[in-house]
Amino acid sequence: MATASVATHDTAHDHHDHEHHDNFVTKYIFTTDHKMIGKQFLITGIFWALIGGLLSILFRLQLGFPDMNLEWLRPLLGGWITETGQLDQTFYLALVTMHGTIMVFFVLTAGLSGTFSNFLIPLQIGARDMASGFMNMLSYWFFFISSVIMFISLFIKTGPAGGGWVVYPPLSALEQAIPGSGLGMTLWLIAMTFFIASSLLGGINYITTVINLRTKGMSFSRLPLTIWAFFLTAVIGLLSFPVLFAAALLLVFDRSFGTSFYLSDIYIGGEALPNTGGSPVLYQHLFWFLGHPEVYIVLLPALGITSEVIATNSRKPIFGYKAMIISMLGITILSFIVWAHHMFVSGMNPFLGSIFMFLTLIIAIPSAVKVFNYLTTLWRGNLIFTPAMLFSIGLVSFFISGGLTGIFLGNSAIDIQLHDTYFVVAHFHLVMGSASFFGMVAGIYHWFPKMFGRMMDARLGYVHFWLTFVGVYMVFFPMHYIGIAGFPRRYYSWTGFEFSNMYTDLNMFVSVAAIITFAAQFIFLFNFFYSMYRGRKASQNPWRSNTLEWTTPIHPGHGNWPGEIPTVYRWPYDYSKPGAKEDFIPQTVPLSATPESNLPHEQELVKLELEIMKEESEALVANEAKES
């Protein structure tokens, strides 16, 4: 079946392999090849995931063992360990701030979307490269500059930004408020400006490529769900990141130029500041107009990857292909009109709160559609439990358990009680953080053979999955309990409160689980880098998948296909089709080559397909005669 002859065509791009003309710098550093740029995003994202995870371990040590002497950390943290061997309170705020910023933006946005949108979009739609290779290169290097600035901010004397990852004013707007509002906050704002520029350049490129550079036959109704997810993610980012830029710009004005967009009636040390007329709630509206779409900028690519991995490893067509697309479109639209559910405790008018509550609960419907379709795809499938499949199923698990707690928090009356507790921390770490992380890791395991031409070790992948899956639940499940009981988030120390002392053992348990879960990621790191050079060599299509990327050579050059680009004849999920000779039929196999498995409506298309193929053949012969 997979060896059936297929018709091909070329695009305006030169179809020859360019890479042999490149030197080291143009091939690996300032490259315009979408595949190498995707790998650059991936390696940078892995670096930031390690940094972000390490920061979380440092503040979990403080939360789990508040009386522990941390003098042994002085060689790493220097003056941020006090004379009594405790973690400095200001530095604790900076750790929480930088952990959130790094994981949300640098890992789960750039590391996830940057990697897989770049790597997969041209390969899965049948394009030589992105619409603009130069813009693509700029997108990565703006992200790299942002990363360098953010990394430098970790080492300055006054410490990195310390106003929380949402950097609410007036704390973030007044340099004299805390050390973390000084130079560290300035560097945070500069870094985020470069990051936003990177995201916008990438998003414009992804949208343009999907609309304009699809190969012949690749209609929107034949796009893999991964491409739909990346496309809609780019649309969300393109509409929401400029609002975050506006919020950051006004914050820079308030900090450096004496304006009062967010400041009014502020007293520091008993002295009144001259600022008047501003509103910190304005910043919240601007930030969360990006902040909630950001949840889906992080989540949609992971869901798209999961759709592909589950269909491939269930050996079944994805259940409800059109419903999946419609649900993603619904999520895209609704994500822009629910932002104020993050602001129920800001003094919002209860009537307005009820509107946002209603819209928030509605967004559960398309999310539930996706979960139902995943479960029905798995149901009675011929399941193959690769590491990628396990991580995809883990994502579905987190999406269900974390999504259920979102129904609680979407209710304004309940959210007011739970908003500043660990219940919220547990909710978004499950439904957004852990779910998206599992989708990213599933994508790495699944497309590693296409990225590097080798296979990752499956046994290490299984160990990595079970330690991480169990560890995540051990970290965040207890947080729901202590959150409902009123345990507050963002507190450096809670031992001074009698009501919270009863949770000492649970906090210790969570911290130990976090340390073990973080340590388990080094199994993945070893597997990743070892397999890159020493892993078993991959075949061209190791997962027996239908999508176009598996029709390229094992090591595709710049241009992806050495000859002409294949034509697409069918949707990407023809798995275990009744009557078919094999349990998969690639998109490049004509319907006329599979009469034994064609459905009635497909038989009607065969005649049209043969006519088109005949016309293409005649045109090819004419061109060859003309050239000769």
Side-chain angles (χ1 to χ4, degrees):
M1 176 67 62
T3 58
S5 61
V6 299
T8 59
H9 83 289
D10 200 9
T11 69
H13 293 270
D14 183 3
H15 67 257
H16 295 294
D17 187 335
H18 307 304
E19 284 293 10
H20 61 278
H21 299 302
D22 291 338
N23 56 38
F24 179 85
V25 172
T26 57
K27 183 174 181 179
Y28 293 107
I29 301 176
F30 297 110
T31 179
T32 57
D33 183 0
H34 70 97
K35 298 181 295 298
M36 187 58 66
I37 291 171
K39 294 174 192 176
Q40 289 175 329
F41 271 105
L42 177 59
I43 299 299
T44 311
I46 289 174
F47 167 79
W48 275 119
L50 283 175
I51 298 295
L54 179 62
L55 298 182
S56 71
I57 296 305
L58 292 176
F59 64 70
R60 274 314 319 178
L61 284 174
Q62 167 63 33
L63 290 167
F65 310 95
D67 299 322
M68 176 190 286
N69 190 313
L70 299 177
E71 191 65 36
W72 54 279
L73 283 173
R74 189 175 294 278
L76 175 65
L77 300 181
W80 298 115
I81 300 296
T82 65
E83 294 179 359
T84 59
Q86 303 298 304
L87 190 70
D88 183 86
Q89 297 181 28
T90 302
F91 191 62
Y92 172 85
L93 296 176
L95 288 174
V96 174
T97 301
M98 296 305 290
H99 167 75
T101 301
I102 288 167
M103 300 307 271
V104 171
F105 294 113
F106 288 14
V107 178
L108 296 177
T109 300
L112 177 51
S113 279
T115 297
F116 291 103
S117 294
N118 270 302
F119 190 81
L120 289 179
I121 286 177
L123 286 172
Q124 289 197 333
I125 69 171
R128 294 294 180 194
D129 207 314
M130 285 290 181
S132 171
F134 180 73
M135 273 179 64
N136 214 18
M137 179 185 73
L138 279 183
S139 174
Y140 173 73
W141 283 104
F142 273 121
F143 171 53
F144 183 81
I145 293 169
S146 172
S147 296
V148 169
I149 296 169
M150 196 69 79
F151 189 69
I152 289 172
S153 77
L154 295 172
F155 300 98
I156 61 176
K157 185 176 181 181
T158 54
W165 78 276
V166 294
V167 296
Y168 281 173
L171 187 62
S172 61
L174 301 171
E175 295 188 20
Q176 64 271 44
I178 56 172
S181 294
L183 178 59
M185 184 62 68
T186 301
L187 292 176
W188 189 96
L189 290 166
I190 295 171
M192 287 305 299
T193 300
F194 279 102
F195 178 84
I196 292 166
S198 165
S199 299
L200 294 176
L201 286 170
I204 292 169
N205 226 357
Y206 305 152
I207 293 168
T208 306
T209 304
V210 171
I211 291 175
N212 293 319
L213 296 186
R214 288 169 286 124
T215 188
K216 187 167 186 179
M218 182 63 83
S219 62
F220 273 93
S221 61
R222 289 175 176 172
L223 287 175
L225 289 173
T226 42
I227 302 302
W228 272 106
F230 301 150
F231 176 74
L232 293 174
T233 299
V235 171
I236 296 174
L238 200 60
L239 295 175
S240 60
F241 269 114
V243 181
L244 179 64
F245 176 76
L249 185 64
L250 298 184
L251 185 56
V252 169
F253 285 166
D254 276 10
R255 286 172 56 82
S256 304
F257 300 108
T259 58
S260 301
F261 291 106
Y262 306 133
L263 300 175
S264 183
D265 305 318
I266 304 292
Y267 292 81
I268 293 185
E271 180 182 350
L273 299 186
N275 306 87
T276 184
S279 172
V281 176
L282 169 62
Y283 176 87
Q284 292 190 32
H285 280 290
L286 294 174
F287 180 88
W288 287 116
F289 190 83
L290 167 279
H292 196 78
E294 171 68 17
V295 171
Y296 296 102
I297 290 172
V298 165
L299 199 50
L300 278 179
L303 294 173
I305 289 168
T306 295
S307 300
E308 183 66 28
V309 172
I310 285 180
T312 300
N313 291 288
S314 296
R315 312 314 291 170
K316 280 178 62 180
I318 193 76
F319 185 88
Y321 174 80
K322 290 182 180 178
M324 294 288 259
I325 295 171
I326 292 169
S327 67
M328 284 194 286
L329 285 168
I331 287 172
T332 300
I333 295 167
L334 288 169
S335 70
F336 284 100
I337 53 176
V338 296
W339 78 88
H341 67 217
H342 297 273
M343 300 169 55
F344 286 146
V345 295
S346 67
M348 179 187 299
N349 183 297
F351 176 73
L352 186 60
S354 67
I355 293 173
F356 279 102
M357 179 182 75
F358 175 71
L359 294 169
T360 298
L361 297 178
I362 285 177
I363 209 170
I365 296 172
S367 302
V369 168
K370 296 193 74 66
V371 168
F372 176 80
N373 287 1
Y374 289 140
L375 295 179
T376 43
T377 303
L378 291 166
W379 177 252
R380 302 186 71 178
N382 184 18
L383 303 183
I384 303 171
F385 290 108
T386 64
M389 181 66 154
L390 289 176
F391 275 96
S392 295
I393 295 171
L395 178 151
V396 176
S397 173
F398 294 148
F399 197 51
I400 294 171
S401 55
L404 287 174
T405 58
I407 297 174
F408 288 78
L409 295 173
N411 186 310
S412 56
I414 299 175
D415 179 76
I416 289 170
Q417 307 302 318
L418 295 176
H419 186 83
D420 285 317
T421 72
Y422 267 84
F423 192 90
V424 172
V425 177
H427 160 70
F428 73 75
H429 275 86
L430 274 182
V431 77
M432 183 182 82
S434 300
S436 300
F437 176 75
F438 267 48
M440 180 178 177
V441 174
I444 294 170
Y445 278 110
H446 189 73
W447 280 287
F448 190 90
K450 183 51 59 182
M451 289 181 178
F452 302 106
R454 294 180 181 269
M455 305 292 288
M456 293 183 75
D457 187 278
R459 292 165 299 177
L460 289 177
Y462 297 140
V463 175
H464 175 220
F465 168 75
W466 285 111
L467 285 175
T468 307
F469 181 72
V470 174
V472 166
Y473 271 123
M474 292 300 98
V475 171
F476 298 115
F477 205 82
M479 285 187 187
H480 291 95
Y481 173 72
I482 62 176
I484 289 175
F487 192 83
R489 57 180 170 141
R490 301 191 180 113
Y491 276 37
Y492 159 81
S493 177
W494 41 267
T495 51
F497 303 96
E498 185 177 344
F499 84 95
S500 58
N501 279 333
M502 68 181 75
Y503 306 118
T504 301
D505 292 343
L506 266 182
N507 265 301
M508 192 181 301
F509 175 84
V510 167
S511 292
V512 171
I515 292 168
I516 295 172
T517 306
F518 179 68
Q521 306 319 303
F522 287 91
I523 299 171
F524 167 78
L525 278 180
F526 170 79
N527 196 359
F528 182 86
F529 288 105
Y530 179 84
S531 299
M532 193 186 298
Y533 299 103
R534 304 292 296 275
R536 177 169 57 88
K537 289 185 177 179
S539 60
Q540 185 179 14
N541 189 0
W543 314 123
R544 293 163 61 85
S545 188
N546 291 341
T547 43
L548 284 181
E549 73 269 26
W550 305 107
T551 65
T552 64
I554 295 173
H555 295 283
H558 195 170
N560 298 332
W561 287 268
E564 296 177 329
I565 299 175
T567 299
V568 167
Y569 294 98
R570 58 182 74 230
W571 77 321
Y573 299 110
D574 268 342
Y575 292 106
S576 301
K577 200 171 183 182
K581 297 174 183 176
E582 296 189 52
D583 69 348
F584 75 112
I585 309 176
Q587 287 187 279
T588 54
V589 176
L591 294 169
S592 56
T594 59
E596 68 282 349
S597 63
N598 288 343
L599 300 173
H601 76 277
E602 291 174 328
Q603 289 287 27
E604 296 173 7
L605 295 173
V606 169
K607 185 177 180 181
L608 177 62
E609 179 186 284
L610 291 173
E611 290 176 359
I612 293 172
M613 291 172 67
K614 182 180 178 181
E615 290 175 2
E616 287 180 344
S617 179
E618 291 173 350
L620 183 63
V621 171
N623 285 336
E624 289 176 352
K626 186 177 180 180
E627 289 175 1
S628 62

